Amino acid sequence: MEENVRAGRCVVAVDGPSGSGKSTVSRRLAAGLGARYLDTGAMYRAITWAVLRSGVDLTDAEAVAKVAQEVDLRIGTDPQGYGVTADGVSVDADIRGPEVTQAVSAVAAVPAVRALLVARQQEMIANAGRIVVEGRDIGAVVAPDADLKVYLTASEAARAARRSAEDATDATVTAADLARRDHLDSTRRTSPLQQASDAVVLDTTELGIDEVVQQLHTLLTERGVA
């Protein structure tokens, strides 16, 4: 991917709840910008996978943090096909499974885990130059100086329908799970899911992916960093 990254700094922070289109939009935008792409949620999911594998109690913050500090976490930044490994094991499929999905909010709420991963994310952003970063606290915490901050949202029904289509799950069950995760992530004490005060809010309920990407590209062009 490195040889395809264009020159010139460009950092885009994309936040929003699950099912708002963050991942698809971010990857496509990064590819169009000749930039790298970082899925911070995948990092928290990989740590959660390692915690579950270790067998430690999810409510034991110190034990969870110890696992996070010791695991060898690696994540690619190619928007066309990035990979995630934990201790040398490819976990791309496992981190999207129901067990990790159920536990990731609890692990991500541990302050020491967030401090560790935020520092890692900021280092990756600094080294990338041009990068689109998606998550839940990017514009407010991870990259407060991003060239463009975007908060993607959509109706609860639309988000549930999208996620259930991706995971082949029941929309009603998915909606309940999304509501649970959104509540946990938006009410945690450390770096909660939040909209940065200077973020551009885009409701994607009635918009296609191409429309959203085009709007973001236009905003970046207006800022002279596209």
Side-chain angles (χ1 to χ4, degrees):
M1 176 62 183
E2 292 187 11
E3 64 273 16
N4 296 323
V5 177
R6 298 207 299 265
R9 179 184 184 275
C10 178
V11 178
V12 182
V14 182
D15 292 302
S18 299
S20 58
K22 295 192 306 293
S23 296
T24 304
V25 167
S26 297
R27 286 198 304 269
R28 195 169 298 181
L29 181 63
L33 292 172
R36 297 179 186 174
Y37 160 71
L38 179 58
D39 179 354
T40 63
M43 298 175 75
Y44 286 102
R45 283 175 172 272
I47 294 296
T48 301
W49 176 88
V51 169
L52 291 172
R53 186 182 65 163
S54 73
V56 304
D57 187 339
L58 290 176
T59 64
D60 187 339
E62 185 175 340
V64 169
K66 186 173 187 295
V67 173
Q69 291 163 356
E70 294 178 349
V71 66
D72 179 13
L73 170 63
R74 305 196 180 194
I75 183 168
T77 56
D78 184 345
Q80 303 293 355
Y82 68 98
V84 187
T85 64
D87 290 333
V89 178
S90 175
V91 295
D92 295 303
D94 291 339
I95 62 174
R96 304 298 174 184
E99 188 178 17
V100 169
T101 297
Q102 186 70 24
V104 65
S105 289
V107 173
V110 176
V113 172
R114 297 205 74 81
L116 178 72
L117 291 188
V118 167
R120 175 86 175 273
Q121 292 154 11
Q122 291 176 331
E123 180 181 11
M124 295 176 74
I125 292 170
N127 291 334
R130 294 180 70 82
I131 189 167
V132 178
V133 189
E134 66 145 302
R136 298 197 164 207
D137 63 345
I138 309 305
V141 176
V142 179
D145 296 324
D147 298 286
L148 174 64
K149 301 176 187 179
V150 185
Y151 189 88
L152 296 185
T153 186
S155 69
E156 292 183 4
R159 295 194 293 118
R162 292 169 184 171
R163 186 50 54 88
S164 62
E166 292 174 1
D167 301 339
T169 54
D170 179 79
T172 302
V173 175
T174 300
D177 184 60
L178 292 182
R180 177 189 65 82
R181 289 182 55 204
D182 288 344
H183 174 72
L184 290 173
D185 292 346
S186 61
T187 57
R188 64 179 175 236
R189 291 187 177 183
T190 306
S191 301
L193 163 64
Q194 59 184 309
Q195 173 192 325
S197 60
D198 54 348
V200 175
V201 180
L202 275 182
D203 188 325
T204 67
T205 302
E206 302 294 337
L207 296 176
I209 296 299
D210 290 339
E211 293 176 286
V212 178
V213 173
Q214 182 56 55
Q215 287 194 35
L216 299 187
H217 199 278
T218 297
L219 289 170
L220 288 167
T221 299
E222 292 172 349
R223 287 165 168 73
V225 291

